[in-house]
């Protein structure tokens, strides 16, 4: 026998678990924020910031725990979701810490509230709780199909969460918070996950009726009247949210999510057309008589007008900060995005990104968000059960719509709405809800990528199908 | 802190951020390519080649192709239809086994293929031969079902279930 060299084996790909890829990327995703932290410290004080070791260790520890839990409980999960979310969360912490140092914001806080408290430690705590929630989701939720049992319960729960803020006083003109003792919670953030569960459970059962029982009219499939019921109900609900809570973002998020999921479930373009028409009609209708919304539209149309600047120069300052950032940015800690004042580290945090990282950094940020959405859609494609498919699409769709609504609002593409940029912006509810969302996506992707049960022990015993001429 | 350091850090940060994005995109590249090619070293292969139980009869004497390569001899095997379409294997004098068994050279993910379906090997003159290993649905060269080991003309399609392979230069 001669020794054979260079033999090649070719087989269909078997899914590797890719946990080591995840670990390497995770280390990278922790290193970048630490570098940014150092950068901020050097730019602001000219010395290495004292909290750097603690901050880096804290972030690294949280990421490490999350990784170990994924390794143990979701071995075949997507390798990218966790590092991407960690990177965004870490950079968000750095940006919030950077804005905490801003003399302008400190002065402003002391003038208005007679005290200034740093937000970064609180956000670090929220991130830790968020990762704990992520871990809890992975440990408790062994199979995402369990959620299917709670279809209608989640509908009721989502409705309650959406309606609840109406009974609490408005904060800054929008009623999206509820006060529980010392904490304020933004229930809309959690409602987006719960309502995605309801939509997937509902559409999984009704998709055939919605897709097939329709009449053709002018190239469009018109659904039957009774099938229009649910979409009308969701539309009315989102309009009500808009009218009573004056929260444009949440209303847009829910209606957009429903249209996306309807389209995915039924493959009918007519739903998109209907959805766009209805949301346009609703938005125009509400904007014509609701003063808060009307004001937002005016700010959007003409941010530099005298009348606008007298009331709020936020939108104008945000646009100016994008402009002063240019292509490569001013560098961390060297921008003036703190001129935005109120909500500089929550709703408007993207303008700090745009100013200090420039267009190049902004694009990288948006690509990271895009990659999270892409992994979600990819999970939906790979999922084997229809509920998991719809849920993965719903969650990544909600994530994508939220990023669009916030980024579009800050950049002046659409009227500004009171929503937070997932993971980056300051806000406990948002961080918690988004970590839970990533947890569910990781659970679905683990089920989707897990190799099918091993074939019979002896491959020779497998039956070969016989060709019958 | 000097202006220069800060500029370097600013550009360095952007570079690192983009590096992360590029690495992340590299990780998902595997979504686009369904097959994985593993090079097996000679050391692992040597004992395996001595197991006569793998085929119906011991594989014929294999020799290195050096000096034996005739003009017009095929250099690679190409899968032109089926789930492995586009896969190529360099022909270097080794026996190629085809089938659903996991230790085949080309693992066919094909319901109509047998575990050990066929093998392709060079004879003493370097002519490539295809032999059916008693498969259920048969191996076809052009349109004819193989009953004996048959020399493979260049470019002739060998059909196994839904998979078609051919030898090319």
């Amino acid at each position: 026998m001669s020794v054979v060299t260079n033999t090649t084996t070719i087989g269909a790909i078997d899914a590797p678990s890719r946990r080591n890829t995840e670990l390497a990327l995770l280390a990278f995703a922790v290193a970048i924020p630490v570098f940014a932290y150092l950068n901020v410290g050097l730019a602001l004080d000219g010395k290495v910031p004292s909290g750097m070791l603690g901050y880096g260790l804290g972030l690294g520890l949280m990421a490490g725990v999350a990784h170990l839990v994924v390794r143990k409980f979701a071995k075949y999960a997507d390798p990218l979701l966790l590092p991407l979310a960690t990177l965004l969360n870490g950079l968000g912490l750095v940006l919030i810490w950077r804005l905490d140092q801003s003399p302008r914001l400190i002065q402003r806080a002391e003038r208005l509230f007679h005290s200034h408290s740093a937000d970064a430690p609180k956000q670090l705590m929220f991130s830790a709780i968020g990762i704990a929630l992520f871990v809890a989701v992975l440990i408790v939720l062994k199979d995402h199909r369990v959620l299917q049992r709670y279809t209608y319960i989640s509908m009721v729960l989502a409705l309650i969460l959406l309606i609840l803020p109406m009974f609490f006083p408005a904060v800054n003109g929008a009623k999206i918070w509820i006060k529980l003792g010392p904490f304020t919670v933004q229930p809309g953030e959690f409602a987006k996950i719960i309502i995605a569960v309801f939509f997937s459970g509902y559409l999984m059962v009704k998709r055939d009726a919605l897709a097939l029982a329709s009449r053709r009219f002018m190239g469009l499939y018109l659904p039957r009247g009774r099938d229009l019921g649910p979409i009308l109900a969701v539309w009315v609900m989102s309009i009500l949210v808009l009218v009573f809570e004056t929260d444009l973002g949440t209303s847009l998020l829910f209606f957009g999510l429903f249209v996306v999921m309807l389209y995915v479930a039924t493959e009918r373009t007519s739903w998109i057309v209907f959805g766009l028409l209805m949301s346009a009609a609703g938005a125009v209708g509400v904007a014509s008589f609701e003063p808060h919304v009307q004001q937002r539209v005016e700010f959007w149309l003409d941010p530099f007008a005298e009348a606008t600047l007298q009331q709020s120069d936020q939108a104008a300052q945000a646009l100016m900060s994008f402009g002063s950032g240019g292509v490569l940015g001013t560098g961390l800690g060297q921008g003036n995005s703190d001129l935005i004042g109120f909500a500089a580290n929550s709703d408007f945090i993207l303008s700090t990104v745009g100013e200090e990282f420039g267009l190049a950094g902004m694009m990288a940020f948006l690509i990271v968000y895009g990659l999270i959405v892409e992994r979600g859609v990819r999970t939906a494609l790979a999922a084997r059960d229809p509920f998991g498919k719809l849920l993965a699409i719903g969650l990544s769709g909600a994530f994508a719509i939220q990023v669009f609504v916030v980024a579009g609002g800050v950049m002046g593409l659409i009227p500004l709405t009171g929503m937070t940029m997932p993971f980056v912006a300051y806000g406990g509810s948002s961080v918690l809800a988004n970590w839970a969302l990533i947890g569910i996506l990781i659970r679905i992707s683990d089920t989707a990528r897990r190799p099918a049960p091993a074939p019979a022990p002896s491959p020779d015993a497998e039956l070969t199908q016989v060709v019958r001429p | 802190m000097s202006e220069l350091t800060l500029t370097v850090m600013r550009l360095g940060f952007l570079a690192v951020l983009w590096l992360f994005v590029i690495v992340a995109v590299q990780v998902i590249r595997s979504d686009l390519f369904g097959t994985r090619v593993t090079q097996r070293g000679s050391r692992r292969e040597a004992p395996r080649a001595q197991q006569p139980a793998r085929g119906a009869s011991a594989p014929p004497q294999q020799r290195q192709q050096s000096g034996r390569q005739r003009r017009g001899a095929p250099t690679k095997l190409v899968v032109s239809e089926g789930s492995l379409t586009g896969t190529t294997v360099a022909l270097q004098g080794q026996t190629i086994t085809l089938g659903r068994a996991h230790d085949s050279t080309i693992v066919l993910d094909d319901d109509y293929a047998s575990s050990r379906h066929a093998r392709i090997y060079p004879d003493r003159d370097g002519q490539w031969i295809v032999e059916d290993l008693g498969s259920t649905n048969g191996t076809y060269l052009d349109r004819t079902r193989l009953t004996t080991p048959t020399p493979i003309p260049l470019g002739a399609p060998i059909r196994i279930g839904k998979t078609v392979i051919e030898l090319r230069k």
Side-chain angles (χ1 to χ4, degrees), chain B:
Chain B
M1 203 37 54
S2 75
E3 196 72 8
L4 180 68
T5 321
L6 289 178
T7 308
V8 169
M9 284 198 95
R10 167 165 69 106
L11 298 180
F13 178 78
L14 287 179
V16 173
L17 199 59
W18 273 100
L19 187 67
F20 180 84
V21 169
I22 291 166
V23 170
V25 171
Q26 288 294 315
V27 168
I28 60 175
R29 220 166 51 114
S30 63
D31 286 354
L32 303 177
F33 305 104
T35 49
R36 192 178 46 163
V37 177
T38 342
Q39 292 290 335
R40 279 192 302 203
S42 53
R43 220 173 304 156
R44 273 181 59 199
E45 187 54 28
R48 200 178 260 200
Q50 291 169 357
Q51 293 172 359
R54 290 185 67 207
S57 59
Q61 199 60 251
Q62 291 161 349
R63 51 194 80 225
Q64 304 299 334
Q65 73 278 26
S66 53
R68 282 281 181 175
Q69 198 90 350
R70 297 181 310 175
R71 268 177 60 84
T75 57
K76 64 183 179 190
L77 178 156
V78 179
V79 181
S80 57
E81 268 179 50
S83 59
L84 293 172
T85 303
T87 309
T88 61
V89 181
L91 297 173
Q92 286 169 331
Q94 81 278 29
T95 297
I96 294 169
T97 54
L98 302 127
R100 291 203 304 183
H102 295 293
D103 54 353
S104 309
T105 316
I106 298 183
V107 181
L108 298 170
D109 183 19
D110 188 332
D111 289 345
Y112 296 99
S114 299
S115 302
R116 302 189 195 288
H117 198 108
R119 70 173 180 205
I120 294 173
Y121 58 90
D123 70 0
R124 286 172 189 285
D125 308 323
Q127 171 66 48
W128 288 87
I129 309 285
V130 57
E131 181 186 7
D132 187 82
L133 298 175
S135 64
T136 311
N137 291 321
T139 307
Y140 292 80
L141 184 63
D142 270 337
R143 294 278 173 83
T144 49
R145 184 166 178 163
L146 296 178
T147 48
T148 54
T150 314
I152 314 167
L154 208 61
I158 301 167
R159 184 177 290 276
I160 293 171
K162 285 181 270 184
T163 307
V164 175
I165 57 179
E166 55 191 69
L167 301 190
R168 290 190 192 156
K169 271 209 280 189

Side-chain angles (χ1 to χ4, degrees), chain A residues 381-398:
Chain A
L381 282 178
R384 301 189 185 109
D385 62 306
F387 179 76
K389 268 186 198 301
L390 284 172
L391 186 56
I393 276 288
L395 293 177
S396 40

